[in-house]
Amino acid sequence: VITTDSYTVNPIFFRGGNIGNLAASGTINDLLMMGAKPVALTLALIIKEGFSFNDLGTIIDTIAEITANFGIGIVAGDTKVMPQDSMKEVSLIINTTGLGYVQKGVRITDSSIKPGDKIIASGTIGDHGFAMLASREGIELETKLKSDVAPLNSLILPIRHLGVHAMKDPTRGGLSGVLNEWAEKSKVSIWIKESSIPFSEDALIIAEIFGIDPLHVSSEGKAIIAVAPNKADEVLELMKESPLGQKAEIIGEVKDTRKGSVFLKTKIGGHRIIDKPVGEPIPRVC
């Protein structure tokens, strides 16, 4: 399995991490979401002239720590330094390509969801996007919201063979983006309960302040999982054993009616359609 991504986050250092955490974790998680065990990364840096050596060292050390912890090799790389005038809005861009392998019999795609499947969220939704927004706007909360950026190896590797039909990290487009993509590709409808979706209190406060739908906001250390109904409780129990999955919840189910649509049962008992996200409500967060 191979995947690649580029990271242009702003600010580079944010509550709970930095662009190095984001690049390493994001690419590792992309491999995991396809059922693969990550084994290697490439690392390419495009650096603005004048960028701090100390900051660069901190970022590289972060990447090295994450990859070493999971036995992942950095097998190729490249560095370019660009004139200041050519990079007016960013000072560092990172590209990572990830390589992994899939066990025989484990094949996870975006189009394999089946009616009856349960939808699981591994934890609170939107923490990364709202933490980035809080950092940019200088919002101080009594309990400071931090990015959830993290590699999900300990959460995903134990469950990938247990009736899992699809997995996705809700980055760009958030939870609504994941569910709409699944519904369209698998030709099913997805029905979720607002009361079951885990959110942090601080994230909801920031969402209210800025008038942003938290269902559209990105997470960088969470997974959305579609799993066979007879395996859902077992998968949920295993996820809760990981520190990264202690707030995991079953948030909905898949049906074969109204194909291609996603529905939310509100806290007051009504239903509304969750549309595809249009654009990114909080840009430059990944």
Side-chain angles (χ1 to χ4, degrees), residues 266-286:
T266 66
K267 292 180 180 178
I268 62 174
H271 287 87
R272 71 176 178 91
I273 295 175
I274 300 178
D275 293 321
K276 294 180 182 178
V278 179
E280 183 65 43
I282 309 174
R284 300 272 304 284
V285 297
C286 55

Side-chain angles (χ1 to χ4, degrees), residues 122-284:
S122 70
T124 52
I125 300 300
D127 289 357
H128 176 71
F130 284 124
M132 294 293 295
L133 181 59
S135 294
R136 290 177 192 170
E137 301 298 330
I139 299 171
E140 295 296 333
L141 300 171
E142 193 169 308
T143 303
K144 290 185 177 181
L145 182 67
K146 294 182 179 180
S147 169
D148 57 2
V149 60
L152 297 175
N153 302 55
S154 65
L155 187 75
I156 299 303
L157 292 178
I159 67 167
R160 58 184 172 155
H161 62 287
L162 295 175
V164 173
H165 293 154
M167 292 189 288
K168 189 85 169 176
D169 47 343
T171 53
R172 293 178 183 88
L175 177 61
S176 63
V178 171
L179 298 181
N180 274 282
E181 185 177 353
W182 282 356
E184 182 178 343
K185 289 184 176 181
S186 295
K187 295 179 173 56
V188 296
S189 62
I190 299 176
W191 301 70
I192 61 173
K193 295 180 180 179
E194 185 178 21
S195 59
S196 299
I197 303 171
F199 290 108
S200 70
E201 184 178 349
D202 287 346
L204 292 177
I205 290 172
I206 297 174
E208 183 72 20
I209 291 172
F210 288 93
I212 295 173
D213 187 343
L215 297 176
H216 294 203
V217 177
S218 64
S219 304
E220 289 289 343
K222 300 297 190 302
I224 310 302
I225 300 168
V227 60
N230 63 329
K231 292 290 186 179
D233 289 338
E234 182 181 358
V235 168
L236 184 64
E237 185 177 340
L238 283 171
M239 291 174 70
K240 286 181 176 290
E241 291 178 2
S242 167
L244 298 173
Q246 292 180 352
K247 294 184 179 180
E249 296 288 347
I250 296 174
I251 64 171
E253 63 180 341
V254 179
K255 298 183 180 182
D256 60 0
T257 59
R258 309 285 295 274
K259 295 178 180 180
S261 298
V262 179
F263 298 91
L264 176 75
K265 183 177 181 180
T266 66
K267 292 180 180 178
I268 62 174
H271 287 87
R272 71 176 178 91
I273 295 175
I274 300 178
D275 293 321
K276 294 180 182 178
V278 179
E280 183 65 43
I282 309 174
R284 300 272 304 284

Side-chain angles (χ1 to χ4, degrees), residues 1-3 27-39 72 98-103 106-108 152-153 156-157 160 167:
V1 173
I2 186 168
T3 185
T27 301
I28 289 169
N29 291 342
D30 284 345
L31 293 169
L32 291 167
M33 295 303 105
M34 293 183 280
K37 180 179 179 180
V39 295
I72 297 169
L99 301 164
Y101 66 86
V102 177
Q103 291 179 341
V106 177
R107 184 173 182 270
I108 298 175
L152 297 175
N153 302 55
I156 299 303
L157 292 178
R160 58 184 172 155
M167 292 189 288

Side-chain angles (χ1 to χ4, degrees), residues 54-68:
N54 288 337
D55 287 348
L56 183 61
T58 299
I59 291 164
I60 296 301
D61 287 346
T62 300
I63 296 171
E65 181 179 359
I66 290 171
T67 53

Side-chain angles (χ1 to χ4, degrees), residues 5-20:
D5 208 347
S6 298
Y7 299 86
T8 60
V9 61
N10 180 34
I12 286 175
F13 291 89
F14 48 83
R15 294 175 180 176
N18 61 58
I19 192 173

